[in-house]
């Protein structure tokens, strides 16, 4: 009987909080009454303020499933992010509930989903690239990519030596970073989602006449387990089978290891044979671990 009274009092309290926080109380009671509702979350709701109720409400509105929207750890993360005024998530979520799913995807795997957002032309997703939350959660992966690029540019050190071990002619190749290519079967402008990808490092081989022969793609990932995007996977699967077209209108003209001009600039539509695809990866933080061939 005592537990029942406590439950009733808690529900009454939450009912008042729900009204203040614009929460659908009937929906919440349905979750709360479920036998799988986490005990830890019941304690948080009993002992803390109603911000957890607000977080639950956002996840519910975003169509997040029962297990996720009642996960105490996810609710704690959302509460912290909602409190960060730089992120502006409260306004974003209120304007469009679909944005809540994007937040969760970035929180679940910031490095994989951050890459996906960079390879899209969807206006809604592109907005996230300029938001403080996106910059914060993807910073570790971006910093690792930049650090690895800066190290291989010198053509010295463990990172470059490992690449040289796997790519014996790398000393004769020119380096260009962050190159956008149309995926197999597409030609510029290839602007739609799923029609292009971004290559971190592209090692290009020229012949004696200054003509492009082929390229080797190296993608830097924070850890060995960080997956390729669907676009990167499609490009990887094209290795040894054909060429990819350079996407942007602005030409690539400089070898980034020497800052000298490329033997022949790379213009929009230039087709380059993709010879091989490698993953350069770290330990999950900022330390280089190894490189492996993916095709």
């Amino acid at each position: 009987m005592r537990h029942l009274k406590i439950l009733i009092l808690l529900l009454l309290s939450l009912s008042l909080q729900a009204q203040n926080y614009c929460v659908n109380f009937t929906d919440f009671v349905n979750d709360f009454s479920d036998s799988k509702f986490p005990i830890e979350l019941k304690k948080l709701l009993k002992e803390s303020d109603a911000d957890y109720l607000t977080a639950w409400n956002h996840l519910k509105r975003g169509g997040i499933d029962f297990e996720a929207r009642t996960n105490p750890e996810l609710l704690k993360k959302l509460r912290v992010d909602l409190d960060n005024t730089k992120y502006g998530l409260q306004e974003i979520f209120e304007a469009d509930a679909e944005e809540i799913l994007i937040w969760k995807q970035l929180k679940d795997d910031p490095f994989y989903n951050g890459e996906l957002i960079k390879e899209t032309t969807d206006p809604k997703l592109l907005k996230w690239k300029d938001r403080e939350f996106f910059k914060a959660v993807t910073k570790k992966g971006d910093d690792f990519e930049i650090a690895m690029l800066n190290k291989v540019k010198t053509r010295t050190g463990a990172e470059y030596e490992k690449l040289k071990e796997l790519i014996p002619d790398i000393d004769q190749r020119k380096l260009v970073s962050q190159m956008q290519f149309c995926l197999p079967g597409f030609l510029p402008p290839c602007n739609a989602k799923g029609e292009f990808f971004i290559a971190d490092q592209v090692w290009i081989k020229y012949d004696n006449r200054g003509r492009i022969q082929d390229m080797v793609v190296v993608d830097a990932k924070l850890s060995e387990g960080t997956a390729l995007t669907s676009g990167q996977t499609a490009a990887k699967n094209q290795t040894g089978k054909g060429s990819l077209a350079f996407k942007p209108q602005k030409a690539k003209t400089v070898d980034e290891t020497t800052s000298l001009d490329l033997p022949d600039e790379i213009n929009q539509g230039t087709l380059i044979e993709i010879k091989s695809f490698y993953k350069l990866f770290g330990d999950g933080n900022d330390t280089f671990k190894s490189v492996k061939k993916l095709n």
Side-chain angles (χ1 to χ4, degrees), residues 22-48:
C22 301
V23 172
N24 186 316
F25 188 62
T26 302
D27 284 346
F28 179 75
V29 169
N30 288 336
D31 273 6
F32 192 89
S33 302
D34 193 298
S35 60
K36 295 180 181 178
F37 194 91
I39 294 175
E40 181 184 348
L41 182 53
K42 289 184 178 180
K43 290 180 179 178
L44 286 174
L45 289 167
K46 180 181 176 182
E47 298 170 0
S48 303

Side-chain angles (χ1 to χ4, degrees), residues 16-282:
L16 293 173
Q17 292 172 347
Q19 294 175 37
N20 293 332
Y21 285 79
C22 301
V23 172
N24 186 316
F25 188 62
T26 302
D27 284 346
F28 179 75
V29 169
N30 288 336
D31 273 6
F32 192 89
S33 302
D34 193 298
S35 60
K36 295 180 181 178
F37 194 91
I39 294 175
E40 181 184 348
L41 182 53
K42 289 184 178 180
K43 290 180 179 178
L44 286 174
L45 289 167
K46 180 181 176 182
E47 298 170 0
S48 303
D49 55 54
D51 286 344
Y52 291 109
L53 199 59
T54 303
W56 170 89
N57 188 49
H58 283 306
L59 296 178
K60 174 68 177 178
R61 289 179 55 247
I64 309 302
D65 63 35
F66 174 86
E67 183 178 0
R69 69 175 179 261
T70 59
N71 182 318
E73 294 307 313
L74 185 64
L75 287 166
K76 289 176 184 177
K77 291 176 182 177
L78 180 52
R79 178 185 171 180
V80 170
D81 288 346
L82 287 168
D83 285 343
N84 191 322
T85 55
K86 289 184 178 180
Y87 294 166
L89 293 179
Q90 186 75 28
E91 294 77 14
I92 292 170
F93 292 170
E94 288 176 355
D96 187 350
E98 291 182 6
E99 304 267 17
I100 298 165
L101 179 58
I102 299 173
W103 170 86
K104 183 179 181 300
Q105 289 172 333
L106 281 165
K107 207 69 177 181
D108 287 345
D109 193 338
F111 315 118
Y112 174 73
N113 289 297
E115 289 291 307
L116 280 180
I117 287 179
K118 292 174 185 176
E119 293 179 5
T120 188
T121 55
D122 184 326
K124 183 180 294 184
L125 295 177
L126 286 175
K127 286 182 181 178
W128 283 84
K129 292 175 66 174
D130 298 321
R131 289 171 177 160
E132 290 302 316
F133 173 75
F134 180 87
K135 295 173 184 177
V137 299
T138 60
K139 186 178 186 301
K140 185 183 289 187
D142 291 343
D143 287 350
F144 182 76
E145 285 183 15
I146 294 169
M148 293 302 101
L149 177 64
N150 287 335
K151 288 186 177 182
V152 300
K153 278 182 181 180
T154 66
R155 294 187 184 270
T156 60
E159 297 82 5
Y160 187 76
E161 289 304 315
K162 186 61 180 179
L163 287 175
K164 189 172 181 178
E165 178 185 321
L166 297 171
I167 312 167
D169 65 353
I170 197 170
D171 284 343
Q172 286 73 54
R173 292 180 177 272
K174 311 298 183 183
L175 172 64
V176 183
S177 67
Q178 294 298 300
M179 291 186 73
Q180 295 184 25
F181 289 97
C182 298
L183 290 174
F186 299 100
L187 292 173
C190 56
N191 283 330
K193 180 181 179 181
E195 292 186 358
F196 70 96
F197 86 107
I198 303 171
D200 288 345
Q201 301 173 23
V202 181
W203 295 89
I204 303 170
K205 189 171 186 178
Y206 289 83
D207 64 18
N208 292 332
R209 297 183 179 181
R211 297 174 301 189
I212 295 175
Q213 287 188 291
D214 59 46
M215 65 179 172
V216 170
V217 175
V218 177
D219 193 79
K221 297 295 187 187
L222 195 62
S223 69
E224 186 175 6
T226 305
L228 298 180
T229 66
S230 55
Q232 291 165 346
T233 299
K236 171 185 71 74
N237 293 341
Q238 182 72 353
T239 55
K241 299 177 183 178
S243 302
L244 300 176
F246 181 58
K247 168 183 164 60
Q249 291 183 343
K250 186 177 180 181
K252 291 289 188 180
T253 61
V254 175
D255 169 20
E256 295 180 27
T257 66
T258 62
S259 297
L260 299 176
D261 289 344
L262 294 170
D264 188 18
E265 66 182 29
I266 303 167
N267 297 294
Q268 185 181 56
T270 298
L271 291 168
I272 308 178
E273 179 184 345
I274 179 167
K275 181 179 180 181
S276 52
F277 201 110
Y278 295 84
K279 177 191 281 189
L280 182 158
F281 57 92

